[in-house]
Every structure is written in structure tokens, then in C-alpha cells.
Amino acid sequence: MDPRFSPEVGKIMQLANQEAHCLNHEYIGTEHVLLGLVRHADNVAAKFLRDRGIDVRVIRAEVEKLVRSGPDMVTAHKLPMTPRTKRAIELALEESVALGHQGAGPEHLLLGLLREGDGVAAQVLAELGLGLAETRRKVADVHPGIRDGADKPASEPIIAPPITFSLAELETATDLTSQPSTAILRILDASSNRAAEGLRVVEDYLRFVLDDPLLTEEAKTLRHDLASAVELLGRDQLVASRDIPGDVGVDIKTETETRREHPAEVLAANLHRAAQALRSLGEYSKIIAPQVAPRFEAIRYHVYQLESTIAASRDGAARLADVRLYVLADGRESPDAFIAFVDALLAAGVHAIQLRDKNLSDRELLDRGRALRERITRFGARTLFILNDRPDLAVLCDADGVHVGQEELTVADARKIVGPRKLVGVSTHSLDQARQAVLDGANYIGVGPTFPSATKEFAEFPGVALLKDVAAATRLPAFAIGGITLDNLDRVLATGIGRAAVSGAIASAADPAEAVRKWLARLESKTP
């Protein structure tokens, strides 16, 4: 081991590397070294600072006044030192020699940071009232040297060898880094493998069973994020620690592991496998690389969200599998007129009715909703009942779900009110909005406006191009909305969107029931 440095300095540099990562900095500056020094509490310098009321919280607050966090996460594991940091280490060596000490320790590093003078660490220490002479006297008192005049450097120049090494070389040359135990590395290796394998199985399910490009992309992104995080642990050392013949868990199997009866069981098992492995990665990585642990935690929460998104997508696909025609109905001019209208729709076999009326009072809207639920029950129909924009009233009138727009409640907020079993639909007007609705856990989406409509005004019409993009991006049930008629329906169906939400085309028809039958015939004839 290089006698110029004590083992504590190596640990401090490890902590400095972590602090740089936490601030998204691509270098180790004097500020990171100072933070590492006070975090490594069991040393003379840190105790000296604590006695003066200077702890890691105080230092961090002062550092954050002078430097900002970087915009992006840093992926490199070991970061280079800045010239000022190297200079501070040179000065630490000089102080060690001048004081007659055997090797540079944390106390000499503190002196080096003070003597360097221009770095962030020196500015912070000056702001906190720490002086070089006082600190040098304290170091001399704690560690009496073999030379006199410890309150000042030696009269003759004492030049330490130039520092030309990187952080990695410092750790290697001075043998300062305490190597993680093989057991910890084996845990991290096994857990990273389990997490990656689980995510790959999930990705295959989304790709081949659900045939969903968007969700497949999400799973693939998580898998790549995991690989990037594992690289920060040092993938080579994880692989080198592997001991398959000596692993007592290799031959341990449970009965449920050897049998799966449905792809959905495979999906559920591997979502849980990935999440559990990520938890293990997050916990054990704190021992050797605390700066990486938050990445594993973030990926784990994304896995939980992906599980919820998949569940909503599968639920929507199952419950709307045969739903092609979705009619938007207002409350009509009276309760009797409303009942007559919905009876006509139900008699014709409409698949879904959304009650949407901005002009009714809450009580009137609730009464219409309860009437619609009663008529569906009386007809014995499988028609879905969706209430627009009001999850609270949807619960009171026992609707099958609620539909929200871009400026109304979020999917998450609507779900808090209606619960997990009711459908939540979202209106989307761009591909980004459609993608977000899927990831937010919507059960279905409305996509448009496709054409100008007499019932609702829009500044822009993304048209059939948006329908085509959405059809290619996701398998979540999607209904084309906006100005759709029997005359332009074929243009809609040609995009790959096989569902339509209509209002005026049915509501203004002389015979709404006959209009529904014509729409159903056209839609069902085009169903793949």
C-alpha cells in the first residue's frame, strides 16, 4: 500500500465520487471531497468540524448555494478529479510531510482544501469561519510530528510528487478502497439477472400476446434502464463473483415455479419477480454504491406502474372486445323524451351509451343517469353505460364507467372516485396524449376530432392521420370521434381503428333505432 495515504482518504474519495453523482456532476471537485470528508464521520477532521458546529447538513447547504446540480444523471461509475482537487491532494501531502506525519489522512486533506484557496471547498470553509492556521495547530496538537514549527509549513520547500492519477488510479495505487464482500457482489449479480430476466419475459408477453407496441417499448426501456444502472455497479466484478456450483439456491424450486397454465400467470409471476429483484438491488447496492440505489428504486416503481397499466389495458380490451358503436346522448328536452330515445338505442342493440349534457343540473343529470341504468337493466342489455366528466355521479347512478377530457380530472383522480372496477376513458387529440392516456391506465380512449362536427367545435382536426398513428401505436380500445358519418366511415375504418363514437348521426336521425342498426351492420362487417 502506498504509505502517502491513509485508508480513510480512500473512503473519503469514494464518498466524494458518490456526492458528485448525487449532484449529477461529471467530475470530483473540492466541494465533493469536502462533503465526503464530513460524511466519513469517524476521523479527526470531521470531529474537529463537528466541534465547531459544522456537519454534513451545514456543508451541503453552503455547497448548494455555490453550485447547481447537473441536468442529467451521470452514467460513468468513477469520475475524474478536477485540477483543483488534484492540487488540494498535493497540498495535503505537503502538509503531512511538513508536520512530520507518516502519510496523509483526512486532517491533512482538510488542510489541503483550505490551502488550495480557490475551490468551492475553500470558499465554503472560509464562509464558515475556518482558518488555515487554527486548523493546522489543531492537527499538530492531535498528531504531534517529528518536526518543530507545526503552526507553519517547513521553511524549505516541500514538494510532493505531482498528482497525475485518476480516481480509479488513486484507489488502486494506494489500496484505499475497501472491496465489497463477495457475498454482496453475488447478491447483486443474482438480483440483476433475475430483474433482467423478469423484464424480458414481461416484454415478450406485451410483444407477442398483447401485440402492443407502446407497452412493449415501455418494458424494453425499463430493461435498458436496468442495464445502465447495473453497469454503474461494475458489471465485470459482478460476473467475476458468480459461483453457480456453490450457490445453494440453484436447486431450490417450489411447485408453482414448475407449472403455468396461462400466459397471464407468466406475466404476473415475472412482474413480481422483477420488482422483488429490484428491491434487493436497491437495498444491497446501498452498501457499495449508494448513489446508484435510487435508480433501482425508480425502476421498481416504474414496474409497479407498468403492472397497473397492463391491468387497465387488459381489462378494457376484455370488456370492450365486442363494443364497436358508442353513442353520445344528451338528456333530451324532457325525461320522457330521454327514455324514449335510449329505449330506441337499446332495442337496436347499441353497444355503449355515454350520457353527456353540460346544460342539465346535477340533480337532473343524476336522474337521467339512474333512468338509463334502469332501462338497460329492464332490457337485459349488455350495453355499457358511461357518464361524461362526472365520476361522482357515475358512482351514484351505477354507471359502468366515466369519460374525461384533457382539461378535466386525470385518470388517477377519476379512479380514486369510481374505484378499480369501473371503466375510465379519455379523449385524446394527439399521439402524445393517446400514449399518455395508455400509460396513465385508461381503459379506452377517444381519438380525434376526425372531421368537423355539428355538436362540438374544435380549432384543429388531426383527422384520419392521427387515427392511423394511434392504431399503429397501441392496442388499447380506441374510438374515432368527431364528425363521423356513414359516408366517411370507410375512411375511418381504413386506418385500423374499428370503433366509432357518434352523436348527431344517431341523435338527429328520423329513426334512431334504424340508424343504429345501419351503423352496427357497417361496423361489424368491417370487423377483422
Side-chain angles (χ1 to χ4, degrees), residues 276-324:
Q276 291 165 3
L278 284 162
R279 182 56 186 254
S280 188
L281 281 167
E283 291 298 323
Y284 284 101
S285 65
K286 293 174 183 177
I287 297 173
I288 68 168
Q291 76 278 12
V292 184
R295 298 194 181 201
F296 293 121
E297 182 179 30
I299 297 170
R300 177 163 56 88
Y301 281 115
H302 276 104
V303 170
Y304 294 151
Q305 181 58 46
L306 179 61
E307 181 178 19
S308 176
T309 298
I310 294 170
S313 181
R314 291 178 60 211
D315 186 41
R319 295 172 67 182
L320 286 89
D322 298 323
V323 176
R324 295 288 180 269

Short mmCIF file of all heavy atoms in Angstrom, two decimals, residues 276-324:
data_model
loop_
_atom_site.label_atom_id
_atom_site.label_comp_id
_atom_site.label_asym_id
_atom_site.label_seq_id
_atom_site.Cartn_x
_atom_site.Cartn_y
_atom_site.Cartn_z
N GLN A 276 -39.32 -7.69 -7.06
CA GLN A 276 -38.62 -8.19 -5.87
C GLN A 276 -37.10 -8.11 -6.06
O GLN A 276 -36.36 -7.74 -5.14
CB GLN A 276 -39.06 -9.62 -5.58
CG GLN A 276 -40.50 -9.72 -5.10
CD GLN A 276 -41.04 -11.14 -5.16
OE1 GLN A 276 -40.32 -12.07 -5.52
NE2 GLN A 276 -42.30 -11.31 -4.80
N ALA A 277 -36.65 -8.47 -7.26
CA ALA A 277 -35.20 -8.40 -7.52
C ALA A 277 -34.71 -6.97 -7.48
O ALA A 277 -33.61 -6.69 -6.98
CB ALA A 277 -34.90 -9.03 -8.89
N LEU A 278 -35.51 -6.04 -7.97
CA LEU A 278 -35.13 -4.63 -7.93
C LEU A 278 -35.07 -4.11 -6.49
O LEU A 278 -34.22 -3.27 -6.17
CB LEU A 278 -36.12 -3.80 -8.75
CG LEU A 278 -35.93 -3.90 -10.26
CD1 LEU A 278 -37.17 -3.43 -11.00
CD2 LEU A 278 -34.72 -3.07 -10.70
N ARG A 279 -35.95 -4.62 -5.64
CA ARG A 279 -35.88 -4.22 -4.23
C ARG A 279 -34.57 -4.69 -3.61
O ARG A 279 -33.91 -3.95 -2.86
CB ARG A 279 -37.07 -4.79 -3.45
CG ARG A 279 -37.10 -4.38 -1.97
CD ARG A 279 -37.08 -2.86 -1.84
NE ARG A 279 -36.96 -2.41 -0.49
CZ ARG A 279 -37.96 -1.88 0.22
NH1 ARG A 279 -39.15 -1.76 -0.33
NH2 ARG A 279 -37.77 -1.48 1.44
N SER A 280 -34.18 -5.92 -3.92
CA SER A 280 -32.91 -6.45 -3.41
C SER A 280 -31.74 -5.63 -3.95
O SER A 280 -30.81 -5.29 -3.21
CB SER A 280 -32.77 -7.92 -3.81
OG SER A 280 -31.65 -8.50 -3.19
N LEU A 281 -31.78 -5.29 -5.23
CA LEU A 281 -30.72 -4.46 -5.82
C LEU A 281 -30.63 -3.11 -5.11
O LEU A 281 -29.54 -2.62 -4.81
CB LEU A 281 -30.99 -4.24 -7.31
CG LEU A 281 -30.63 -5.38 -8.25
CD1 LEU A 281 -31.24 -5.14 -9.63
CD2 LEU A 281 -29.11 -5.52 -8.37
N GLY A 282 -31.78 -2.51 -4.87
CA GLY A 282 -31.80 -1.20 -4.22
C GLY A 282 -31.22 -1.24 -2.82
O GLY A 282 -30.47 -0.35 -2.41
N GLU A 283 -31.55 -2.29 -2.07
CA GLU A 283 -31.08 -2.38 -0.69
C GLU A 283 -29.58 -2.69 -0.62
O GLU A 283 -28.83 -2.03 0.10
CB GLU A 283 -31.87 -3.45 0.07
CG GLU A 283 -33.33 -3.07 0.30
CD GLU A 283 -33.48 -1.84 1.16
OE1 GLU A 283 -32.69 -1.65 2.11
OE2 GLU A 283 -34.39 -1.03 0.88
N TYR A 284 -29.13 -3.70 -1.35
CA TYR A 284 -27.73 -4.11 -1.23
C TYR A 284 -26.78 -3.18 -1.96
O TYR A 284 -25.60 -3.09 -1.59
CB TYR A 284 -27.56 -5.55 -1.72
CG TYR A 284 -28.09 -6.56 -0.72
CD1 TYR A 284 -29.33 -7.15 -0.89
CD2 TYR A 284 -27.35 -6.89 0.41
CE1 TYR A 284 -29.83 -8.06 0.04
CE2 TYR A 284 -27.84 -7.80 1.35
CZ TYR A 284 -29.08 -8.38 1.16
OH TYR A 284 -29.56 -9.26 2.08
N SER A 285 -27.26 -2.47 -2.99
CA SER A 285 -26.37 -1.52 -3.66
C SER A 285 -26.03 -0.34 -2.75
O SER A 285 -25.02 0.34 -2.96
CB SER A 285 -27.00 -1.02 -4.96
OG SER A 285 -28.18 -0.28 -4.70
N LYS A 286 -26.85 -0.10 -1.74
CA LYS A 286 -26.55 0.98 -0.79
C LYS A 286 -25.22 0.75 -0.07
O LYS A 286 -24.58 1.70 0.38
CB LYS A 286 -27.68 1.11 0.24
CG LYS A 286 -29.00 1.57 -0.33
CD LYS A 286 -30.10 1.52 0.72
CE LYS A 286 -31.45 1.91 0.13
NZ LYS A 286 -32.55 1.80 1.12
N ILE A 287 -24.81 -0.50 0.02
CA ILE A 287 -23.58 -0.83 0.73
C ILE A 287 -22.35 -0.42 -0.06
O ILE A 287 -21.38 0.09 0.50
CB ILE A 287 -23.54 -2.34 1.05
CG1 ILE A 287 -24.71 -2.71 1.98
CG2 ILE A 287 -22.20 -2.74 1.67
CD1 ILE A 287 -24.85 -4.20 2.21
N ILE A 288 -22.39 -0.65 -1.39
CA ILE A 288 -21.18 -0.37 -2.18
C ILE A 288 -21.33 0.82 -3.12
O ILE A 288 -20.33 1.37 -3.56
CB ILE A 288 -20.76 -1.61 -3.00
CG1 ILE A 288 -21.77 -1.92 -4.11
CG2 ILE A 288 -20.54 -2.81 -2.10
CD1 ILE A 288 -21.26 -2.93 -5.12
N ALA A 289 -22.56 1.22 -3.42
CA ALA A 289 -22.76 2.34 -4.35
C ALA A 289 -24.08 3.03 -4.04
O ALA A 289 -25.06 2.89 -4.78
CB ALA A 289 -22.74 1.85 -5.80
N PRO A 290 -24.15 3.77 -2.93
CA PRO A 290 -25.42 4.40 -2.54
C PRO A 290 -26.01 5.31 -3.60
O PRO A 290 -27.22 5.49 -3.66
CB PRO A 290 -25.03 5.19 -1.28
CG PRO A 290 -23.79 4.55 -0.78
CD PRO A 290 -23.06 4.05 -1.97
N GLN A 291 -25.13 5.89 -4.45
CA GLN A 291 -25.64 6.81 -5.47
C GLN A 291 -26.44 6.09 -6.55
O GLN A 291 -27.21 6.72 -7.28
CB GLN A 291 -24.49 7.60 -6.10
CG GLN A 291 -23.64 6.83 -7.11
CD GLN A 291 -22.57 5.97 -6.46
OE1 GLN A 291 -22.59 5.77 -5.25
NE2 GLN A 291 -21.65 5.47 -7.26
N VAL A 292 -26.26 4.77 -6.66
CA VAL A 292 -26.97 4.01 -7.69
C VAL A 292 -28.32 3.50 -7.17
O VAL A 292 -29.25 3.28 -7.94
CB VAL A 292 -26.11 2.82 -8.18
CG1 VAL A 292 -26.80 2.07 -9.31
CG2 VAL A 292 -24.74 3.32 -8.65
N ALA A 293 -28.43 3.32 -5.86
CA ALA A 293 -29.64 2.75 -5.27
C ALA A 293 -30.92 3.46 -5.69
O ALA A 293 -31.93 2.80 -5.99
CB ALA A 293 -29.52 2.72 -3.75
N PRO A 294 -30.95 4.81 -5.75
CA PRO A 294 -32.20 5.47 -6.18
C PRO A 294 -32.64 5.09 -7.59
O PRO A 294 -33.83 5.13 -7.90
CB PRO A 294 -31.85 6.97 -6.09
CG PRO A 294 -30.75 7.04 -5.08
CD PRO A 294 -29.95 5.80 -5.29
N ARG A 295 -31.69 4.72 -8.43
CA ARG A 295 -32.06 4.32 -9.79
C ARG A 295 -32.85 3.01 -9.77
O ARG A 295 -33.84 2.85 -10.49
CB ARG A 295 -30.81 4.16 -10.66
CG ARG A 295 -30.03 5.46 -10.83
CD ARG A 295 -29.03 5.35 -11.95
NE ARG A 295 -28.27 6.58 -12.09
CZ ARG A 295 -27.63 6.93 -13.18
NH1 ARG A 295 -27.65 6.15 -14.23
NH2 ARG A 295 -26.95 8.07 -13.23
N PHE A 296 -32.40 2.07 -8.95
CA PHE A 296 -33.13 0.81 -8.85
C PHE A 296 -34.52 1.04 -8.26
O PHE A 296 -35.49 0.41 -8.67
CB PHE A 296 -32.34 -0.19 -8.00
CG PHE A 296 -31.06 -0.64 -8.64
CD1 PHE A 296 -29.84 -0.45 -8.00
CD2 PHE A 296 -31.07 -1.25 -9.88
CE1 PHE A 296 -28.65 -0.86 -8.59
CE2 PHE A 296 -29.88 -1.67 -10.48
CZ PHE A 296 -28.68 -1.47 -9.84
N GLU A 297 -34.60 1.95 -7.30
CA GLU A 297 -35.91 2.25 -6.71
C GLU A 297 -36.84 2.86 -7.76
O GLU A 297 -38.02 2.48 -7.84
CB GLU A 297 -35.75 3.22 -5.54
CG GLU A 297 -37.07 3.54 -4.85
CD GLU A 297 -36.89 4.47 -3.67
OE1 GLU A 297 -35.95 5.30 -3.69
OE2 GLU A 297 -37.69 4.38 -2.73
N ALA A 298 -36.32 3.78 -8.57
CA ALA A 298 -37.15 4.40 -9.61
C ALA A 298 -37.63 3.36 -10.61
O ALA A 298 -38.80 3.38 -11.04
CB ALA A 298 -36.35 5.50 -10.31
N ILE A 299 -36.76 2.44 -11.01
CA ILE A 299 -37.16 1.40 -11.96
C ILE A 299 -38.22 0.51 -11.33
O ILE A 299 -39.19 0.11 -12.00
CB ILE A 299 -35.93 0.57 -12.40
CG1 ILE A 299 -34.92 1.46 -13.13
CG2 ILE A 299 -36.36 -0.59 -13.30
CD1 ILE A 299 -33.58 0.78 -13.38
N ARG A 300 -38.06 0.20 -10.04
CA ARG A 300 -39.05 -0.65 -9.37
C ARG A 300 -40.43 0.00 -9.38
O ARG A 300 -41.44 -0.66 -9.66
CB ARG A 300 -38.59 -0.92 -7.93
CG ARG A 300 -39.58 -1.75 -7.10
CD ARG A 300 -38.91 -2.32 -5.86
NE ARG A 300 -38.31 -1.29 -5.04
CZ ARG A 300 -38.95 -0.62 -4.07
NH1 ARG A 300 -40.23 -0.88 -3.83
NH2 ARG A 300 -38.33 0.29 -3.36
N TYR A 301 -40.49 1.29 -9.10
CA TYR A 301 -41.79 1.96 -9.12
C TYR A 301 -42.37 2.02 -10.53
O TYR A 301 -43.60 1.97 -10.72
CB TYR A 301 -41.68 3.36 -8.51
CG TYR A 301 -41.65 3.33 -7.00
CD1 TYR A 301 -40.54 3.74 -6.29
CD2 TYR A 301 -42.74 2.86 -6.28
CE1 TYR A 301 -40.50 3.70 -4.90
CE2 TYR A 301 -42.73 2.81 -4.90
CZ TYR A 301 -41.61 3.23 -4.21
OH TYR A 301 -41.59 3.17 -2.84
N HIS A 302 -41.50 2.10 -11.54
CA HIS A 302 -41.99 2.05 -12.91
C HIS A 302 -42.56 0.67 -13.24
O HIS A 302 -43.51 0.55 -14.02
CB HIS A 302 -40.86 2.41 -13.89
CG HIS A 302 -40.69 3.88 -14.08
ND1 HIS A 302 -39.67 4.60 -13.51
CD2 HIS A 302 -41.42 4.79 -14.77
CE1 HIS A 302 -39.77 5.87 -13.84
NE2 HIS A 302 -40.83 6.01 -14.60
N VAL A 303 -41.97 -0.37 -12.66
CA VAL A 303 -42.52 -1.72 -12.86
C VAL A 303 -43.91 -1.81 -12.24
O VAL A 303 -44.84 -2.38 -12.84
CB VAL A 303 -41.58 -2.79 -12.25
CG1 VAL A 303 -42.27 -4.16 -12.23
CG2 VAL A 303 -40.29 -2.87 -13.04
N TYR A 304 -44.08 -1.25 -11.04
CA TYR A 304 -45.41 -1.24 -10.42
C TYR A 304 -46.41 -0.51 -11.32
O TYR A 304 -47.55 -0.96 -11.50
CB TYR A 304 -45.36 -0.54 -9.06
CG TYR A 304 -44.55 -1.24 -8.00
CD1 TYR A 304 -43.92 -0.52 -6.99
CD2 TYR A 304 -44.42 -2.63 -8.00
CE1 TYR A 304 -43.18 -1.15 -6.00
CE2 TYR A 304 -43.68 -3.27 -7.02
CZ TYR A 304 -43.06 -2.53 -6.02
OH TYR A 304 -42.33 -3.16 -5.05
N GLN A 305 -46.00 0.64 -11.87
CA GLN A 305 -46.89 1.40 -12.74
C GLN A 305 -47.20 0.63 -14.02
O GLN A 305 -48.34 0.63 -14.50
CB GLN A 305 -46.26 2.75 -13.08
CG GLN A 305 -47.13 3.63 -13.98
CD GLN A 305 -48.49 3.93 -13.37
OE1 GLN A 305 -48.58 4.28 -12.19
NE2 GLN A 305 -49.55 3.79 -14.15
N LEU A 306 -46.19 -0.05 -14.56
CA LEU A 306 -46.42 -0.85 -15.77
C LEU A 306 -47.42 -1.96 -15.49
O LEU A 306 -48.29 -2.24 -16.32
CB LEU A 306 -45.10 -1.43 -16.27
CG LEU A 306 -45.18 -2.31 -17.52
CD1 LEU A 306 -45.71 -1.52 -18.71
CD2 LEU A 306 -43.82 -2.91 -17.85
N GLU A 307 -47.32 -2.58 -14.33
CA GLU A 307 -48.28 -3.63 -13.96
C GLU A 307 -49.70 -3.08 -13.93
O GLU A 307 -50.64 -3.70 -14.44
CB GLU A 307 -47.92 -4.23 -12.60
CG GLU A 307 -48.84 -5.34 -12.16
CD GLU A 307 -48.43 -5.95 -10.83
OE1 GLU A 307 -47.68 -5.29 -10.07
OE2 GLU A 307 -48.87 -7.08 -10.54
N SER A 308 -49.86 -1.88 -13.36
CA SER A 308 -51.18 -1.26 -13.30
C SER A 308 -51.68 -0.90 -14.70
O SER A 308 -52.86 -1.10 -15.02
CB SER A 308 -51.10 0.00 -12.43
OG SER A 308 -52.33 0.69 -12.42
N THR A 309 -50.78 -0.39 -15.54
CA THR A 309 -51.16 -0.03 -16.90
C THR A 309 -51.59 -1.26 -17.70
O THR A 309 -52.59 -1.22 -18.43
CB THR A 309 -49.97 0.66 -17.61
OG1 THR A 309 -49.66 1.87 -16.90
CG2 THR A 309 -50.30 0.99 -19.05
N ILE A 310 -50.84 -2.34 -17.56
CA ILE A 310 -51.19 -3.58 -18.27
C ILE A 310 -52.55 -4.08 -17.81
O ILE A 310 -53.39 -4.51 -18.62
CB ILE A 310 -50.11 -4.65 -18.04
CG1 ILE A 310 -48.79 -4.23 -18.68
CG2 ILE A 310 -50.56 -6.00 -18.62
CD1 ILE A 310 -47.62 -5.12 -18.29
N ALA A 311 -52.80 -4.02 -16.50
CA ALA A 311 -54.08 -4.49 -15.97
C ALA A 311 -55.24 -3.67 -16.55
O ALA A 311 -56.28 -4.23 -16.95
CB ALA A 311 -54.08 -4.40 -14.45
N ALA A 312 -55.07 -2.35 -16.61
CA ALA A 312 -56.13 -1.49 -17.17
C ALA A 312 -56.34 -1.77 -18.64
O ALA A 312 -57.48 -1.81 -19.14
CB ALA A 312 -55.77 -0.02 -16.95
N SER A 313 -55.25 -1.98 -19.37
CA SER A 313 -55.34 -2.26 -20.80
C SER A 313 -56.04 -3.59 -21.05
O SER A 313 -56.92 -3.69 -21.92
CB SER A 313 -53.93 -2.27 -21.40
OG SER A 313 -53.99 -2.52 -22.79
N ARG A 314 -55.68 -4.61 -20.29
CA ARG A 314 -56.31 -5.92 -20.46
C ARG A 314 -57.78 -5.87 -20.07
O ARG A 314 -58.64 -6.48 -20.73
CB ARG A 314 -55.58 -6.97 -19.62
CG ARG A 314 -54.17 -7.29 -20.10
CD ARG A 314 -53.49 -8.29 -19.19
NE ARG A 314 -54.24 -9.54 -19.14
CZ ARG A 314 -54.29 -10.34 -18.08
NH1 ARG A 314 -53.65 -10.01 -16.97
NH2 ARG A 314 -54.97 -11.46 -18.13
N ASP A 315 -58.10 -5.14 -19.00
CA ASP A 315 -59.49 -5.03 -18.57
C ASP A 315 -60.33 -4.32 -19.63
O ASP A 315 -61.44 -4.76 -19.97
CB ASP A 315 -59.55 -4.26 -17.24
CG ASP A 315 -60.95 -4.22 -16.66
OD1 ASP A 315 -61.65 -5.25 -16.71
OD2 ASP A 315 -61.35 -3.16 -16.15
N GLY A 316 -59.78 -3.22 -20.17
CA GLY A 316 -60.50 -2.51 -21.22
C GLY A 316 -60.69 -3.36 -22.45
O GLY A 316 -61.78 -3.39 -23.05
N ALA A 317 -59.64 -4.07 -22.85
CA ALA A 317 -59.73 -4.91 -24.05
C ALA A 317 -60.77 -6.01 -23.87
O ALA A 317 -61.51 -6.34 -24.81
CB ALA A 317 -58.36 -5.51 -24.36
N ALA A 318 -60.85 -6.59 -22.67
CA ALA A 318 -61.80 -7.68 -22.42
C ALA A 318 -63.24 -7.16 -22.38
O ALA A 318 -64.14 -7.74 -23.00
CB ALA A 318 -61.45 -8.38 -21.11
N ARG A 319 -63.47 -6.05 -21.70
CA ARG A 319 -64.83 -5.57 -21.50
C ARG A 319 -65.37 -4.83 -22.72
O ARG A 319 -66.59 -4.71 -22.88
CB ARG A 319 -64.88 -4.66 -20.27
CG ARG A 319 -64.56 -5.42 -18.99
CD ARG A 319 -64.43 -4.52 -17.79
NE ARG A 319 -65.69 -3.89 -17.43
CZ ARG A 319 -65.81 -3.01 -16.43
NH1 ARG A 319 -64.74 -2.69 -15.71
NH2 ARG A 319 -66.98 -2.47 -16.15
N LEU A 320 -64.47 -4.34 -23.58
CA LEU A 320 -64.92 -3.66 -24.78
C LEU A 320 -64.61 -4.46 -26.05
O LEU A 320 -64.61 -3.92 -27.15
CB LEU A 320 -64.28 -2.27 -24.89
CG LEU A 320 -64.83 -1.20 -23.95
CD1 LEU A 320 -64.08 -1.21 -22.63
CD2 LEU A 320 -64.77 0.18 -24.55
N ALA A 321 -64.37 -5.75 -25.88
CA ALA A 321 -63.97 -6.58 -27.02
C ALA A 321 -64.99 -6.52 -28.15
O ALA A 321 -64.63 -6.49 -29.33
CB ALA A 321 -63.77 -8.02 -26.56
N ASP A 322 -66.28 -6.49 -27.81
CA ASP A 322 -67.33 -6.50 -28.84
C ASP A 322 -67.99 -5.14 -29.03
O ASP A 322 -69.00 -5.03 -29.71
CB ASP A 322 -68.40 -7.54 -28.47
CG ASP A 322 -67.84 -8.95 -28.41
OD1 ASP A 322 -66.96 -9.27 -29.24
OD2 ASP A 322 -68.27 -9.72 -27.53
N VAL A 323 -67.43 -4.12 -28.40
CA VAL A 323 -68.03 -2.79 -28.48
C VAL A 323 -67.46 -2.05 -29.69
O VAL A 323 -66.27 -1.76 -29.74
CB VAL A 323 -67.78 -1.99 -27.19
CG1 VAL A 323 -68.33 -0.57 -27.32
CG2 VAL A 323 -68.42 -2.70 -26.00
N ARG A 324 -68.32 -1.77 -30.65
CA ARG A 324 -67.91 -1.05 -31.86
C ARG A 324 -68.60 0.31 -31.97
O ARG A 324 -68.00 1.28 -32.42
CB ARG A 324 -68.23 -1.88 -33.11
CG ARG A 324 -67.44 -3.17 -33.22
CD ARG A 324 -65.98 -2.90 -33.55
NE ARG A 324 -65.19 -4.12 -33.66
CZ ARG A 324 -64.54 -4.67 -32.65
NH1 ARG A 324 -64.61 -4.12 -31.45
NH2 ARG A 324 -63.83 -5.76 -32.81
#
